[in-house]
Amino acid sequence: MRDDPTRFSVDLTNCDREPIHQLGAIQDFGFLIAVSMDWLIQRASANLAAFTGQEAGDVLGEPLSAVLSEQAISLVRARLRMIASEDASERAFSVDFLSTGELFDIAIHMAGDSIIIEAERSDPGRSVNPGALVKSMMSRLQATATTQKLFEESVRHLRAVTGFDRVMLYRFADSGAGTVVAEASRKGLETYLGLNYPATDIPAQARALYVRNLVRIIADVEAEPVPVVPALDPDGRPLDLSLSVLRSVSPIHIEYLKNMGVGASYSISIVIDGKLWGLFALHHYDRKHLSMEMRSATELFGQMAALLIEGRLAKEQREAEEAARELHDRFVGKLMSLTPSVSDLADFANDLREIMPSDGFAVWAKGEVRSFGETPPAEEMPALARFLNRAAANRVYASDDLGSVYPKASDFIDKAAGILAIPISRAPRDYLMFFRRELVQTVTWAGKPDAKEVSLGPNGARLTPRKSFEAWQETVRGKSRPWTTAERKAAEALRVSILEVLLRFNEESERQAASAHEQQELLIAELNHRVRNILALIRALVTQSRATAGDVDDFVRIISGRIQALARAHDQITDERFAFQDLREIVRTEFEAYVGGKVDRVSLTGPKIMVAPRAFSILALVFHEMVTNSAKYGALSDSRGRVSVDWHIDGNDCCEISWREEGGPAVQRPSRRGFGTTIIERSIPHDLGGEAEVSYRLAGLRARFVLPPAHFQVSEESPIMTTAQEDSLRTHSGSEGASRDTKGSIDGLNALLVEDNVIISMDAEYLLTSHGAREVFVAANVAEAMKIVEGQEIGIAILDVNLGNETSFPLVRPLVERGVPFVFVTGYGEKIEFPAEAGPKVRAIKKPFDEEELVDALRNALS
């Protein structure tokens, strides 16, 4: 059943499975001996007697000295010590190897646990100086002006020194197919120049051997292979002949050469970056043997030629990259002068297509496409974008045969057979897409590529190589002009630059300011720090206020006032509406918010200093930490201590601020450095270029801060009022606020309350009902609120701006249309841009809201 080819699949990959490195035979122009590490003969070629007079079977298991002289063994040992790696070998030329006067060339390498010794008779009529020969050849190659001339000179010189009938240079494509890019041959032979050979002509395992063993000779295709005996070692393993210079030839390859009419062949590998870039293929139409010494010289030539070719190709690629970089830099310069979004990149279509030559260009951004030139239809773009999403993230995707990986591309193959896509965002992914049209090509092959026949052999069905190598033309459709390595690199550079530019502009728009990154992180960390402490602070306020309250109403009033003071202190950090602010106001607000009734034990003295907005936030952070630390551990943590804060202008026109604590508990240096200490010691020096010193004295903490003149102004006004005067002013201002127009009344009205926090909504609902509202309808989101507006008679509304993942702004229009007045409440410290329908006089009350302030705003809205 194994001999029936219909019983299993036979295809071109059968060649890839042939163990050509384990054929168990050598060519007949030399002999082989394999010895163990203790110099016992393990294997020998069957033709050993033709060279040494001893039969292979008779020497197996004997010491190597049974065949070679001690002088020859010493040479082998010396060469063996010079082997640098497992793929290396050593050679010696014109050696009296058998002590008979006959000269041999020898090669030595390791194969597993065996030492492989190969020998062949030296060429008596020709002695080669490898260094001089290669130097002469390379000097002519280096003088060539172009890469193609380099190819042509290489094959011409190789033919001159080897005498082969034909010398070709193959260059391999990424697919493995080879093209003859240069040829030198004797007169009368048809040319193979320009012909293409399919990847299957050189199986995968043969390509691997070409990389490991750079030269390969087949001296006579008609010669019978010489077996190595025994075929298997005691463990049943064949001998690995990967690095052998005498290795026999695959029967399939012999048939291939015979079909071409070749009698002998020789190859020299061109390895670049560890890959088989190309091959010098030498053909002779009769038997032809090159001495090992000549093969070594041409191997050296091949290595030098590979370096020269690599340099030329690198130069060509570098020139292409430099041209692309110039276009790239020009484009980025234009991009930097504007403020683009991803979709705006379509406005640079001409510049981008100049960088990346293409027939069409498209920008896919936020689910929409803008196209230029020959591109797929717009309705095909969403599916194409989903296909690209399956590719690796943050990598350029390129294909010159889109239809082979994306079948739907067959619908627009005439417009977009090739694609290069540059991802310029992550989620969702947006793309710049470059398209190339189908390029119908006529490829001339050396014979029909798949013209291999199935025949029956001793192991069943097998492939035989094609017999005809006449030029055969194939029309290739569905592919575009390939994207080169230089173009792919240019696309990657373009991706990085665009992302950098977009990121810069996105950061600017998000921050709406040019604040430093470290300052932003510091501010975020401080805000998180305050959030973690806020509940503890409120609990402390409740505890401290209990003793001074006469009744429940008095207790509520005291707590409410102190929480409002705490909110004002937080507003100093988040409110962006201020300009220059009073230094004393910064310090005073922090004291009032966090120490309450102990503020009379605080002394603030100094001229009126107006602090710039940037420094205002930094100082608020620093004094917040100073005040809270004093209230927790320092002079304000008991009933006796006092704090003095003084400032003056020093001799360098800087504002020097002194902090002194006295009368409190004994001071000790903190056992660990916390976030608050970092804020105090580093904020002013780091962000403002000033100074900060903290001294932990036993009698009381001392601190000194220096503010550079760029961050403040000295006011010409009179000195700042005392704390008592300011308290009086606030009381007077509060009375004025309470006396504002209160003609509107919520008595008897139905109220709508839109709030997503249940505790705040309960507090506001109680406030409304206690001031006469008939019924309060509570909604946590816009959808619930819309149902209430449509189904109930509403007289007044309170709208929380932020409802989690939405805002209350959609409710403005229906409320205005029904004539329902409303007031916004918000926890945002910055100015909010309200919908135009809300009108210019709409009120926004900050959380936590004061009862009188909210009721007053509702009454004004009603009036």
Side-chain angles (χ1 to χ4, degrees), residues 335 338-349 363 365 370 502:
L335 198 62
L338 302 174
T339 310
S341 63
V342 173
S343 56
D344 291 334
L345 292 173
D347 297 334
F348 298 91
V363 176
R370 290 180 64 186
L502 291 178

Side-chain angles (χ1 to χ4, degrees), residues 561-618:
R562 289 182 173 171
I563 290 178
Q564 288 297 323
L566 183 62
R568 285 194 299 272
H570 282 274
D571 281 345
Q572 288 183 321
I573 301 173
T574 58
D575 195 340
E576 298 178 359
R577 291 173 292 181
F578 56 82
F580 279 76
Q581 294 289 321
D582 196 328
L583 172 61
R584 188 174 189 282
E585 182 68 15
I586 300 172
V587 183
R588 184 195 60 77
T589 303
E590 292 296 336
F591 274 115
E592 286 193 349
Y594 291 96
V595 300
K598 300 177 184 179
V599 73
D600 59 334
R601 291 155 53 192
V602 175
S603 171
L604 306 179
T605 58
K608 189 164 187 177
I609 300 296
M610 303 303 291
V611 178
R614 183 186 178 204
F616 181 82
S617 299
I618 302 302

Side-chain angles (χ1 to χ4, degrees), residues 356 396-397 420-424 430-434 491 494-495:
M356 198 64 55
V396 172
Y397 176 81
L420 185 144
I422 303 176
I424 49 177
D430 299 323
Y431 295 96
L432 301 183
M433 302 182 193
F434 299 87
L494 194 60
R495 182 187 74 86

Side-chain angles (χ1 to χ4, degrees), residues 431-468:
Y431 295 96
L432 301 183
M433 302 182 193
F434 299 87
F435 299 98
R436 286 179 176 170
R437 290 179 300 197
E438 179 184 34
L439 181 63
V440 180
Q441 302 178 72
T442 300
V443 181
T444 303
W445 297 95
K448 193 174 182 180
D450 57 353
K452 293 189 177 183
E453 300 175 353
V454 176
S455 64
L456 295 179
N459 296 316
R462 61 189 289 272
L463 286 166
T464 59
R466 62 184 183 276
K467 295 180 173 60
S468 173

Side-chain angles (χ1 to χ4, degrees), residues 372 375 532-533 542 655:
F372 306 84
T375 65
R532 289 194 298 269
N533 288 328
V542 172
C655 178

Side-chain angles (χ1 to χ4, degrees), residues 98-114:
L98 302 176
S99 299
T100 62
E102 186 176 19
L103 300 181
F104 284 83
D105 297 338
I106 62 172
I108 305 162
H109 72 273
M110 298 293 300
D113 296 330
S114 298

